[in-house]
Amino acid sequence: MIDFRERRKGIRVPFKNLGEALQKTALQGHTEQSAENWLEERGIGEGYRREVLNAWVRARYSQNLGTITAFGALLAADHAHSVGVDVAALWAAMAEKSGATLRLGAEVQGIERGSWGGWYVNSTSSPLLEMYDTVVIATPWGLSPLTQSLEQQLQPEDIPRNVSYVDQHITLFVSTAKISNDEFGGVDTVPGLILTTPCSWEYRNISGYTGRDGLGQPPFWVLSRIGESYGDMGKREYVYKVLSADKISDDLIQRWLGRGKDFVVVWRGYEKAAHSLLLPNQESAFSKIQLDQGLWYTGSIEEAATGIDMGAVMGENVAALIVDQWGKEGKYLSEDRRRPIDEE
């Protein structure tokens, strides 16, 4: 882990190709092999892999060690403390400090190349086409409704890859009771964070599967107590969050709490693309970061890792590349004089 952290910190921006950036820090091999094989080759026993590392990987990515890359598994283990943490406030603070003009809720309906070197953007926030020097596609390519029209404007070799995703159910419920040890036997007090992993006799058979096929006997990936509140009568209530492959029934929640214990399900959600599947990439070929003049893509990082840390690295990288490109073009040129600049 110490070696992995140091290598990951060695990724320096700007870089024009993710594969080359990983190769420079000797992390390329971490994306080419499954974590199960990578760890086994280094003498990590199956018991530790299954009981500890696999549980963290499932909590973060809904995968098992047999399908996820070594890079993804080490990221999950290195950020074990962040499971269940809500980072929405951090994103909001970053946007506010940046001074950017936010148009939350606006839908981008079309992006077209302009003859002047930039892009026209059609969105619900404006009745007119708006002109932009630079556009950053910051959503995974296969999940954006814009990709079909954009692909017609790009060269075939510049079109990003479609990444496979795993779905996930999210359940939030509130109760005055803590989780009962009747359902989770063997401990006096059930911890506030429960992770799961396949039983020893089923691990080898399902370690190579993702999603519900790789879940095994446990009915969820993570069950966590994420906060406390006080109800109308002043009673302390515990807020729980469940991440699972299937919908969690009221009966199952009742079993966790104990018969007769009160609870209220406050939200059930379903994310069709909760996590990208971090499958071994033996060719070490990642989607391009610059798709066209003034058109950039941050989603290639989804092919290697997901999460706020690596996402921030790619965001910083694209920003640095854009500033560098603007410096070459001359940011004070008028729109009718601006021309694409060839790579050196």
Side-chain angles (χ1 to χ4, degrees):
M1 286 304 306
I2 293 174
D3 177 71
F4 173 71
R5 290 191 193 109
E6 292 303 314
R7 292 181 187 276
R8 187 162 57 88
K9 291 178 182 177
I11 299 177
R12 295 287 183 262
V13 301
F15 54 86
K16 297 182 179 181
N17 182 283
L18 179 58
E20 293 177 0
L22 295 174
Q23 188 175 27
K24 288 181 179 180
T25 54
L27 286 172
Q28 186 177 12
H30 291 60
T31 64
E32 296 176 341
Q33 195 174 7
S34 76
E36 185 78 1
N37 293 336
W38 192 88
L39 293 166
E40 187 175 14
E41 287 180 358
R42 283 152 182 80
I44 307 299
E46 182 176 305
Y48 187 80
R49 299 199 306 268
R50 180 182 68 84
E51 296 178 15
V52 179
L53 297 178
N54 196 66
W56 287 118
V57 166
R58 286 156 63 95
R60 187 172 173 92
Y61 293 122
S62 304
Q63 289 186 245
N64 289 307
L65 291 175
T67 64
I68 198 170
T69 62
F71 190 92
L74 291 172
L75 272 179
D78 198 24
H79 294 82
H81 61 279
S82 66
V83 172
V85 175
D86 185 2
V87 297
L90 176 58
W91 286 116
M94 291 169 63
E96 181 181 357
K97 294 293 184 182
S98 72
T101 299
L102 296 180
R103 298 183 184 178
L104 301 179
E107 179 183 352
V108 178
Q109 299 174 320
I111 302 174
E112 297 182 7
R113 183 189 291 112
S115 60
W116 45 276
W119 295 83
Y120 292 105
V121 175
N122 178 23
S123 75
T124 56
S125 66
S126 174
L128 303 174
L129 290 176
E130 296 181 288
M131 302 170 66
Y132 288 91
D133 296 318
T134 300
V135 170
V136 179
I137 307 295
T139 187
W141 190 260
L143 303 182
S144 172
L146 301 172
T147 55
Q148 186 173 2
S149 62
L150 275 174
E151 286 178 359
Q152 298 174 1
Q153 303 179 65
L154 299 176
Q155 297 299 319
E157 63 272 16
D158 296 329
I159 298 174
R161 296 167 48 196
N162 284 328
V163 178
S164 299
Y165 285 81
V166 62
D167 59 356
Q168 189 174 84
H169 288 263
I170 304 98
T171 307
L172 297 178
F173 66 93
V174 176
S175 176
T176 57
K178 290 187 176 181
I179 300 297
S180 170
N181 60 4
D182 291 339
E183 188 72 15
F184 301 93
V187 293
D188 294 332
T189 302
V190 178
L193 176 63
I194 302 173
L195 313 179
T196 66
T197 195
C199 299
S200 57
W201 59 85
E202 65 179 349
Y203 178 70
R204 288 181 177 269
N205 292 329
I206 68 173
S207 178
Y209 292 92
T210 61
R212 58 181 47 84
D213 294 332
L215 185 59
Q217 294 190 46
F220 59 87
W221 306 111
V222 188
L223 168 57
S224 58
R225 188 171 66 241
I226 61 174
E228 298 180 8
S229 63
Y230 288 88
D232 296 337
M233 303 302 292
K235 290 184 177 180
R236 176 184 291 179
E237 297 177 334
Y238 301 101
V239 184
Y240 297 94
K241 180 179 181 180
V242 189
L243 304 179
S244 58
D246 294 300
K247 182 180 178 180
I248 297 297
S249 67
D250 288 358
D251 183 65
L252 186 55
I253 295 174
Q254 190 72 77
R255 284 167 47 191
W256 294 341
L257 296 171
R259 294 301 174 185
K261 301 296 184 181
D262 66 298
F263 72 92
V264 176
V265 175
V266 295
W267 190 71
R268 279 191 172 97
Y270 172 69
E271 294 292 339
K272 187 177 181 180
H275 304 291
S276 61
L277 291 177
L278 304 178
L279 305 175
N281 183 351
Q282 296 181 351
E283 294 84 15
S284 294
F286 298 95
S287 298
K288 290 185 176 181
I289 297 173
Q290 184 173 11
L291 307 181
D292 201 347
Q293 182 73 19
L295 185 65
W296 304 82
Y297 180 58
T298 63
S300 60
I301 195 65
E302 294 269 317
E303 300 165 22
T306 60
I308 187 172
D309 47 355
M310 296 304 297
V313 170
M314 181 57 77
E316 179 186 2
N317 179 61
V318 170
L321 291 171
I322 290 173
V323 170
D324 182 60
Q325 185 68 29
W326 282 350
K328 292 179 180 178
E329 293 179 357
K331 61 182 179 180
Y332 297 112
L333 291 177
S334 61
E335 292 173 354
D336 60 340
R337 291 182 55 211
R338 187 178 289 115
R339 296 290 184 272
I341 302 299
D342 294 332
E343 293 287 341
E344 293 181 355

